[in-house]
Amino acid sequence: MQAALVQARLAGEAGDVPIGAVVLDETGAVIGTGRNVREVDADPTGHAEVVALREAAKARGEWRLSGCTLVVTLEPCTMCAGAVVLSRVDRLVFGAYDDKAGAVGSLWDVVRDRRLNHRPEVLAGVLAEDCAALLDDFFTAQRR
């Protein structure tokens, strides 16, 4: 989670919402990093999870990320939760819950939907206070 927090801080410094993500392979090595780039790249799909999953798939040379773990500072939205399922990662670890758009238990639970062909293991609330504090500080500064 510390590596994801570093990515989140970089996103915030660039003017994007401070959300960061990393993908770890079976050995625990980082094979993909991502941070929100929606503002920087003018890309509505530029969420940290999508960026990290794309980088990991490129590093592996295939879209199936079986055996991998996605670590992200904020509970994924519906788009990102769908990407988690479609990429076949084995585990999803996230920090803060997102009561407004979370799709891993808060509003929806996309990754545990039994109608889908893949359901990753989920570990929620890892360093949640640190992850939430980055977001709180960012949005407090935006309102000034």
Side-chain angles (χ1 to χ4, degrees), residues 3-20:
L5 281 164
V6 167
Q7 292 298 313
R9 287 184 194 97
L10 292 171
E13 290 167 8
D16 259 294
V17 176
I19 301 170

Side-chain angles (χ1 to χ4, degrees), residues 16-86:
D16 259 294
V17 176
I19 301 170
V22 295
V23 177
L24 309 172
D25 70 8
E26 299 88 339
T27 69
V30 174
I31 61 169
T33 61
R35 58 182 172 266
N36 270 16
V37 292
R38 290 189 311 167
E39 300 298 331
V40 171
D41 290 354
D43 179 0
T45 68
H47 290 207
E49 301 94 324
V50 171
V51 174
L53 290 169
R54 285 178 181 154
E55 190 173 291
K58 186 175 273 193
R60 274 210 161 170
E62 67 172 320
W63 62 268
R64 287 177 195 86
L65 298 175
S66 302
C68 293
T69 300
L70 173 67
V71 180
V72 61
T73 58
L74 183 67
E75 177 184 3
C77 69
T78 53
M79 175 183 70
C80 295
V84 167
V85 171
L86 293 173

Side-chain angles (χ1 to χ4, degrees), residues 78-99:
T78 53
M79 175 183 70
C80 295
V84 167
V85 171
L86 293 173
S87 69
R88 308 294 197 271
V89 297
D90 284 359
R91 276 164 303 290
L92 167 64
V93 177
F94 71 87
Y97 281 91
D98 185 353
D99 296 333

